[in-house]
Amino acid sequence: MAILLNHVNYIYDEDTAMANAALIDVSLKIPDGQFIGIIGHTGSGKSTLIQHMNGLIAPSSGQIFFNNEDICDRDYNKKNLRARVGLVFQYPEHQLFETDCFKDVCFGPKNLGLSQKDAELRAYTALKQVGLEDEYFYQSPFDLSGGQKRRVAIAGVLAMNPEVLILDEPTAGLDPKGREEILGLISELHRKTGITIILVSHSMEDVADYVERIIVMNRGRVTFDGEPKEVFSHYKELEEMGLAAPQVTYCMQELREAGFDVDTSVTTLLEAKNEILKAFMKC
Amino acid sequence: MSKMIQTDKLVFEYIRRDEEGNVEGITRAVDEVDLSVEPGQFIAILGHNGSGKSTLAKHFNALLYPTEGEVHVDGMLTEDEEHLWDIRQEAGMIFQNPDNQIIGQVVEEDVGFGPENMGVPTEEIWERVDESLRAVRMDKYRKASPNHLSGGQKQRVSIAGVIAMHPKCIIMDEPTAMLDPNGRREVIRAARGLNQVEGITIILITHYMEEVVDADKVFVMDRGRVVMEGTPRGIFKRVDELKALRLGVPQVTLLAHELRQAGLPIPDPILTRKELIDALKKLRAEGYML
């Protein structure tokens, strides 16, 4: 079991008049190797939740375990934890700072105490994993396109060799093709290395296409937790939370209402296409 | 009547420098763009990251000046310094991150900032704050602190701040990029309302194809040039060309496109769920089978 949250509560500004509960009784099991999506409206507690997972925030009450060790323990090695649970923040390219891409990616592993040679090896592998072409390695990260910068920033986290990779809105602000590239890359990474991936997203279509499990946060609580099909079948409740289902799910609902014999639990374009074609083949 | 925005062979170049300040080269971000926007239109601009959309948009309220060519806003040349403040009042701008454009401690104070700077009499400022907040349906929050609002609400407060200056045109540069689905809906609904009810010209720059289907006209940019121009229906027919430009089409349009390729005779293009459902119902009524 990679990460386990046991009745976690978190209150911002506890003991003041501004006290505000951001997480309420959150219990979650994140097994090794899962590809998970977290959705929720702005302010639902998603970001607070993921910051607990690598010990950036300590819970007000409750426990968090990583590989069966309590990370809130005084003696627990937090620095080590942050290498093993990598967190890619929103707009991570704002954190690039070195004079060239390669040095920027070396920064993390060097801080872990690796030798120059090992750090460079890690950086090389990570930049290859995110598909950055060799010709950009020694260019300033600031001369790259938005999508490329973001890939360099993700490589910076991958170079720490994390067992769990958490990404907060990795596609925000990118054009459609850029979104597809980043998500394709993450899914490829999951397939090849088997690391656990946790993807926070506002795009229901993206989440439906890629993840195997969805966790829905609402007002600090886990409201739904299951396979995409199961979670999106609650589309009415999701709408009340400011979320939605993928467009194709609505299409299927409306077709069913119009008397077509189609499966309404569809969440991806391919499934929708096959269902509709099937409806025109029977009789 | 003069055009709301008109550009004439607009070119914008910037000089790239290395760390010592030596010139490395020149990048042409906008390349001979001729474009005109009629008053009252809802315009969308699409294009991949780095295609020049935002640079172009910054010319529409004189934040940038052309290297070559001219830009007219409501008949005024943007380079004419005497018109600068008129242009900035007539053409308001909304940016991607709501946190970068809200300055007031209280919502009503933030919305009143623009008209106050314009020298509007106090009484009228309050009237404008009222009507602007009502127009984006944020009147309930007038005494709230912006810190306690959601992203979509903050973005609507930013829009109210622009409306309070009584602009003829609002330019929105990816106003929904950082918002959740609900926030996106709220902002787009507010933009459409302002266009239809108040007749304000809207220029929307976005990466979300779904937000474009109701626009009067769409411009698609690539490498600083306008490479496609037309109605959403005309543009979204060209699925393969859009993909080659790193763009896409709404998910229903893509679904319809794939169904068509699989042999179902569905009209091209489909822009909304209702159109798709209606087309499929019609096929069924005709007894169509694959």
Side-chain angles (χ1 to χ4, degrees):
Chain A
M1 186 71 54
I3 301 176
L4 199 143
L5 281 81
N6 187 26
H7 299 289
V8 168
N9 286 285
Y10 184 74
I11 303 164
Y12 277 105
D13 301 322
E14 208 179 358
D15 305 325
T16 74
M18 306 282 286
N20 184 9
L23 291 180
I24 304 164
D25 195 23
V26 173
S27 293
L28 284 172
K29 283 181 191 164
I30 315 270
D32 285 319
Q34 267 194 346
F35 193 159
I36 302 174
I38 301 184
I39 60 177
H41 61 84
T42 14
S44 60
K46 304 186 297 286
S47 298
T48 311
L49 174 65
I50 57 174
Q51 288 180 64
H52 275 81
M53 292 180 180
N54 77 343
L56 284 177
I57 302 182
S60 305
S61 67
Q63 294 101 36
I64 301 165
F65 296 91
F66 178 66
N67 290 344
N68 303 320
E69 288 177 274
D70 188 341
I71 67 168
C72 304
D73 227 26
R74 261 169 186 278
D75 307 328
Y76 191 81
N77 185 345
K78 283 253 171 69
K79 191 171 169 187
N80 187 11
L81 172 72
R82 285 179 194 136
R84 294 165 78 186
V85 181
L87 179 53
V88 179
F89 285 103
Q90 261 183 46
Y91 294 89
E93 61 275 18
H94 294 170
Q95 302 171 31
L96 297 171
F97 68 100
E98 271 287 6
T99 48
D100 70 53
C101 298
F102 195 70
K103 275 192 205 151
D104 204 286
V105 178
C106 283
F107 180 79
K110 259 171 69 192
N111 261 358
L112 285 180
L114 266 66
S115 70
Q116 179 72 17
K117 195 172 153 230
D118 287 342
E120 284 181 0
L121 208 62
R122 289 260 194 113
Y124 182 80
T125 316
L127 282 167
K128 281 285 160 202
Q129 278 175 327
V130 300
L132 194 81
E133 294 81 2
D134 294 4
E135 67 207 79
Y136 298 115
F137 277 28
Y138 296 104
Q139 278 194 20
S140 160
F142 305 104
D143 289 342
L144 304 182
S145 77
Q148 285 169 329
K149 271 188 219 167
R150 196 158 297 178
R151 281 190 274 162
V152 173
I154 294 175
V157 175
L158 283 178
M160 313 281 277
N161 273 1
E163 292 158 46
V164 180
L165 180 65
I166 307 175
L167 303 109
D168 192 358
E169 295 259 10
T171 60
L174 296 184
D175 57 44
K177 179 80 182 171
R179 288 208 287 268
E180 216 179 280
E181 285 169 358
I182 292 280
L183 290 167
L185 172 113
I186 294 166
S187 131
E188 179 84 2
L189 200 69
H190 177 251
R191 206 171 51 77
K192 279 193 180 153
T193 65
I195 62 172
T196 311
I197 306 249
I198 301 176
L199 175 74
V200 177
S201 178
H202 278 327
S203 166
M204 306 301 135
E205 284 79 13
D206 290 350
V207 169
D209 281 349
Y210 290 95
V211 307
E212 58 192 282
R213 170 182 172 193
I214 297 178
I215 296 169
V216 182
M217 296 294 296
N218 187 37
R219 293 164 194 251
R221 292 175 197 272
V222 174
T223 314
F224 297 112
D225 181 356
E227 285 177 36
K229 275 190 201 318
E230 200 266 313
V231 168
F232 285 129
S233 70
H234 300 284
Y235 67 97
K236 290 217 167 89
E237 289 105 310
L238 289 175
E239 279 169 30
E240 281 163 20
M241 293 173 210
L243 299 171
Q247 280 209 36
V248 289
T249 308
Y250 290 103
C251 276
M252 295 322 233
Q253 295 284 355
E254 286 165 19
L255 282 173
R256 171 63 74 84
E257 279 161 31
F260 282 88
D261 179 20
V262 289
D263 178 4
T264 54
S265 72
V266 156
T267 57
T268 69
L269 188 97
L270 187 66
E271 292 171 340
K273 177 183 156 187
N274 290 338
E275 274 299 310
I276 293 173
L277 291 176
K278 217 165 71 193
F280 277 93
M281 280 198 278
K282 327 190 196 189
C283 293
Chain B
M1 191 148 112
S2 51
K3 308 260 190 224
M4 190 63 239
I5 309 271
Q6 182 153 32
T7 72
D8 182 26
K9 293 232 182 312
L10 167 60
V11 172
F12 183 78
E13 291 175 337
Y14 61 88
I15 299 169
R16 292 195 315 274
R17 290 176 196 277
D18 65 14
E19 280 169 27
E20 279 84 45
N22 303 314
V23 175
E24 277 190 331
I26 292 172
T27 301
R28 193 170 266 223
V30 178
D31 191 6
E32 297 203 0
V33 169
D34 291 309
L35 155 160
S36 76
V37 176
E38 302 289 338
Q41 276 189 321
F42 193 118
I43 299 289
I45 303 182
L46 301 177
H48 58 82
N49 296 111
S51 61
K53 320 179 285 295
S54 299
T55 310
L56 177 66
K58 284 183 184 135
H59 284 82
F60 296 164
N61 72 343
L63 286 178
L64 291 176
Y65 302 106
T67 312
E68 286 168 38
E70 289 181 347
V71 181
H72 286 89
V73 176
D74 197 17
M76 297 175 281
L77 182 67
T78 56
E79 280 164 288
D80 246 345
E81 226 169 277
E82 58 176 312
H83 292 315
L84 183 63
W85 297 109
D86 293 328
I87 289 172
R88 297 254 171 93
Q89 179 262 312
E90 277 196 22
M93 189 95 142
I94 301 288
F95 296 99
Q96 194 179 101
N97 190 346
D99 291 324
N100 293 349
Q101 38 195 332
I102 292 185
I103 41 135
Q105 304 293 316
V106 182
V107 165
E108 58 178 8
E109 184 188 317
D110 188 79
V111 176
F113 181 79
E116 192 181 357
N117 265 356
M118 287 160 58
V120 174
T122 312
E123 212 141 289
E124 201 194 325
I125 293 178
W126 290 122
E127 280 169 28
R128 288 190 181 201
V129 168
D130 276 336
E131 64 176 34
S132 310
L133 284 171
R134 262 203 306 276
V136 295
R137 303 191 310 151
M138 283 297 290
D139 36 330
K140 267 198 301 194
Y141 297 90
R142 68 174 290 167
K143 300 281 184 196
S145 156
N147 298 330
H148 294 151
L149 301 179
S150 73
Q153 290 172 333
K154 279 187 215 168
Q155 203 58 305
R156 283 188 286 156
V157 170
S158 309
I159 296 173
V162 170
I163 305 171
M165 296 173 72
H166 287 183
K168 290 187 182 169
C169 173
I170 303 180
I171 301 139
M172 302 185 173
D173 192 355
E174 295 194 49
T176 58
M178 301 182 73
L179 307 182
D180 58 29
N182 207 25
R184 285 211 293 270
R185 263 200 304 273
E186 288 169 4
V187 168
I188 294 301
R189 191 190 295 150
R192 199 162 294 141
L194 292 173
N195 179 251
Q196 283 165 357
V197 181
E198 320 271 337
I200 297 176
T201 310
I202 303 282
I203 299 176
L204 172 70
I205 298 178
T206 183
H207 282 321
Y208 289 101
M209 304 299 141
E210 284 77 10
E211 297 174 356
V212 170
V213 296
D214 291 320
D216 295 312
K217 197 171 185 186
V218 181
F219 292 96
V220 180
M221 293 199 59
D222 180 42
R223 294 180 209 182
R225 287 176 178 264
V226 173
V227 290
M228 285 190 207
E229 175 176 347
T231 58
R233 215 162 277 284
I235 298 281
F236 286 140
K237 247 186 194 181
R238 299 154 76 177
V239 177
D240 296 326
E241 280 173 76
L242 286 169
K243 280 194 177 169
L245 293 170
R246 302 181 56 91
L247 300 173
V249 295
Q251 202 183 27
V252 258
T253 309
L254 193 60
L255 176 59
H257 180 76
E258 301 240 322
L259 288 171
R260 206 175 299 117
Q261 287 189 333
L264 280 186
I266 302 173
D268 184 19
I270 292 285
L271 296 188
T272 63
R273 293 207 302 265
K274 186 170 181 306
E275 285 178 22
L276 178 65
I277 308 293
D278 288 347
L280 291 174
K281 274 202 237 171
K282 188 158 163 274
L283 283 183
R284 185 179 56 179
E286 290 164 357
Y288 187 88
M289 279 291 143
L290 275 169

